[in-house]
Amino acid sequence: MEAVLTAAVALLDEAGQSALTFRALAARLGTGVGTIYWYVSSKDELFDRATDHAVGAILTAVEEQPQSDDPIADLREMAITLFDAMMDRPWLAAYFMRNTDVQGHSLRLYEKLGQQTLRLDLTPRQRFHAVSAIVGVVVGTAADLGAELPQEVLNGEVNRVEYLSRYAESWRRLDAATFPFVHEIADEFAEHDDRDQFLAALELTLAGLRLQAETP
Amino acid sequence: MEAVLTAAVALLDEAGQSALTFRALAARLGTGVGTIYWYVSSKDELFDRATDHAVGAILTAVEEQPQSDDPIADLREMAITLFDAMMDRPWLAAYFMRNTDVQGHSLRLYEKLGQQTLRLDLTPRQRFHAVSAIVGVVVGTAADLGAELPQEVLNGEVNRVEYLSRYAESWRRLDAATFPFVHEIADEFAEHDDRDQFLAALELTLAGLRLQAETP
DNA sequence: GTCTTCATCGAACGACGTTCTACTGTCGAA
DNA sequence: TTCGACAGTAGAACGTCGTTCGATGAAGAC
């Protein structure tokens, strides 16, 4: 079981979601496909378990983070740790928190985030919505990343900026009168950093949350 | 071409992403699979075009919305319209804005949102990040919705609350000392409404944005 | 020695995306 | 009228995938 999961994670790390097939996994483990079905009842469950296996490492990293006197700062720190881990493993975003029966680590991580909101002056509902919003920002941004690049991931690192500039240029070619915003944005988009984009979105949510916690 | 797209959208509406196959589409149109490949070069492109086809209707709805004197209120209105459309068609979230070369309507919608930020006192980068964050909240929440229910969608409407309560109960069975947050949340989760959850997340982001636009 | 249980294996099935070749109709040039 | 170019159509065929199933081994219990 343990071996199955680490092999599955290795396949996902090496070549992404599409590389994790029962045949490839069986070949890597030197067994037959039927054997894997003895440990796992479907591909969805395989994904769930592999995801939770990887989340385990994130969880310990989050648990080692020292707690400050500002719950919102702690939430930021946790969200960033989670996001960074998902940048390394874009496939994580697609299955994170999808089935907490199987994903015990994910649930613990969710709990960890939620505990910070317990230190804020909020209603239970507000707390629930706050954590959902934060997880949404992390997973939403990371999920985009995972599916963004079509085939350019196979080539060198340079292709990303080239890919973005090609897009930016096609945007600049649009009529400036009907697309004023896209024009203004094109340069930003060409040089944009996914992590900055995530941090900005997170900051907006956290600012809103702080406001909510401070106003009676 | 037009017929292909409307048939594709119909299939997606009736039974979700997995129902849109080249064979099913061909059968519905009374043609062969090869014919569809004459109009569209891959399944990704089919999804992109079908998505943009559906976004067209959303775009006109958004364009008919009257403009108020508060750009942030207008942003809220647009985001809600987009989200509501995606609740009807959860498959939309997975492909929205994925390839603006093909998705002209999506780009126009993006532009529409961006134009509201032009009325705010922000830097271009802040505008870019703001629109990305808002689209992220909409698409992120809607994407969750689309993949949330495993087989329960096949049955009646009652199964959703049953499904949620089963989860909530398994959460309540956890140790109260190590899972204080999950315990507090369980009731909220059992009765939670996806739209409310989205509105709360949106409100946090918009509050943060308003703060950002007001502080020099 | 036999029974039961845990575990392994890979052939086989059906569905999928995609490719390929053959076919039909239409229409301007000769 | 004939002919070839060309826009569309059609479906068999290929390889890959998730999943199922019955056969097979291994190892302790009685």
Side-chain angles (χ1 to χ4, degrees):
Chain A
M1 183 71 217
E2 185 70 16
V4 172
L5 260 34
T6 53
V9 170
L11 277 174
L12 288 165
D13 281 342
E14 285 164 19
Q17 298 206 45
S18 60
L20 179 52
T21 68
F22 279 88
R23 285 166 176 69
L25 187 54
R28 194 187 192 92
L29 291 165
T31 67
V33 291
T35 307
I36 302 172
Y37 271 93
W38 195 89
Y39 291 98
V40 138
S41 73
S42 73
K43 193 170 187 186
D44 265 329
E45 190 186 328
L46 175 60
F47 260 110
D48 277 331
R49 298 206 118 97
T51 301
D52 201 57
H53 189 74
V55 170
I58 308 177
L59 179 62
T60 66
V62 163
E63 280 175 341
E64 282 170 3
Q65 263 164 217
Q67 183 163 303
S68 78
D69 54 353
D70 181 3
I72 291 187
D74 289 346
L75 277 170
R76 178 185 300 113
E77 223 51 44
M78 291 179 185
I80 292 176
T81 317
L82 183 54
F83 180 79
D84 283 341
M86 284 184 174
M87 278 197 79
D88 287 343
R89 304 181 146 161
W91 51 270
L92 264 180
Y95 275 82
F96 179 69
M97 280 295 288
R98 187 146 292 185
N99 184 346
T100 55
D101 289 343
V102 164
Q103 297 191 22
H105 290 144
S106 300
L107 184 59
R108 267 192 172 71
L109 195 48
Y110 188 72
E111 167 68 30
K112 262 284 173 188
L113 287 163
Q115 284 178 8
Q116 298 305 318
T117 68
L118 292 176
R119 301 163 64 198
L120 295 167
D121 184 27
L122 297 169
T123 68
R125 168 158 303 195
Q126 284 177 323
R127 287 192 240 274
F128 172 57
H129 285 160
V131 177
S132 302
I134 290 170
V135 171
V137 171
V138 176
V139 172
T141 317
D144 261 19
L145 257 67
E148 194 175 318
L149 308 173
Q151 299 310 107
E152 276 79 345
V153 88
L154 304 173
N155 314 18
E157 184 69 38
V158 192
N159 294 49
R160 190 191 124 90
V161 300
E162 202 175 311
Y163 176 71
L164 292 180
S165 346
R166 226 182 320 138
Y167 249 106
E169 190 153 355
S170 86
W171 283 11
R172 270 191 282 264
R173 269 197 294 276
L174 295 170
D175 178 37
T178 56
F179 289 95
F181 174 70
V182 168
H183 257 108
E184 174 161 301
I185 281 316
D187 291 339
E188 296 294 338
F189 180 76
E191 313 166 349
H192 90 274
D193 180 78
D194 289 315
R195 197 167 185 273
D196 286 345
Q197 196 170 333
F198 159 70
L199 289 174
L202 179 63
E203 225 49 53
L204 290 180
T205 300
L206 290 179
L209 181 59
R210 169 158 277 145
L211 212 65
Q212 193 173 68
E214 284 169 358
T215 55
Chain B
M1 181 73 219
E2 185 70 17
V4 172
L5 259 34
T6 54
V9 170
L11 277 174
L12 288 166
D13 282 342
E14 285 163 20
Q17 297 206 44
S18 60
L20 179 53
T21 68
F22 279 88
R23 287 177 232 279
L25 187 54
R28 194 185 191 92
L29 292 164
T31 67
V33 289
T35 307
I36 302 171
Y37 271 93
W38 196 89
Y39 290 99
V40 137
S41 70
S42 74
K43 194 171 187 188
D44 264 329
E45 190 186 328
L46 175 62
F47 260 111
D48 276 330
R49 297 207 116 96
T51 301
D52 202 56
H53 190 74
V55 170
I58 308 175
L59 179 62
T60 66
V62 164
E63 280 174 341
E64 281 170 4
Q65 265 166 217
Q67 182 164 303
S68 78
D69 54 353
D70 181 2
I72 290 186
D74 289 346
L75 276 171
R76 177 186 299 113
E77 223 51 45
M78 290 179 185
I80 292 175
T81 315
L82 183 53
F83 180 80
D84 283 341
M86 284 185 174
M87 280 198 78
D88 288 343
R89 303 180 148 164
W91 51 270
L92 263 182
Y95 275 82
F96 179 68
M97 282 291 294
R98 186 144 295 187
N99 184 346
T100 55
D101 290 343
V102 165
Q103 296 192 23
H105 290 143
S106 299
L107 185 58
R108 267 193 172 71
L109 195 49
Y110 188 73
E111 167 69 30
K112 262 284 175 191
L113 287 162
Q115 285 178 8
Q116 298 305 320
T117 67
L118 292 177
R119 300 164 64 198
L120 294 168
D121 185 27
L122 297 169
T123 68
R125 167 158 305 193
Q126 284 178 324
R127 286 193 243 274
F128 173 56
H129 285 158
V131 177
S132 302
I134 292 170
V135 171
V137 170
V138 176
V139 172
T141 317
D144 262 19
L145 258 68
E148 194 174 319
L149 309 173
Q151 301 308 108
E152 275 78 343
V153 86
L154 304 173
N155 315 17
E157 184 70 37
V158 192
N159 294 50
R160 190 191 123 88
V161 300
E162 203 175 312
Y163 176 71
L164 291 181
S165 344
R166 224 179 323 137
Y167 249 106
E169 191 152 352
S170 86
W171 284 10
R172 270 189 283 263
R173 269 195 294 274
L174 295 170
D175 177 38
T178 58
F179 289 95
F181 174 69
V182 168
H183 257 108
E184 174 162 301
I185 280 318
D187 290 339
E188 296 294 337
F189 180 77
E191 311 168 349
H192 91 276
D193 180 75
D194 289 316
R195 198 167 184 274
D196 285 345
Q197 197 170 333
F198 159 71
L199 289 174
L202 179 64
E203 227 48 57
L204 290 181
T205 299
L206 290 179
L209 182 59
R210 170 159 276 144
L211 211 63
Q212 192 174 68
E214 283 170 357
T215 54

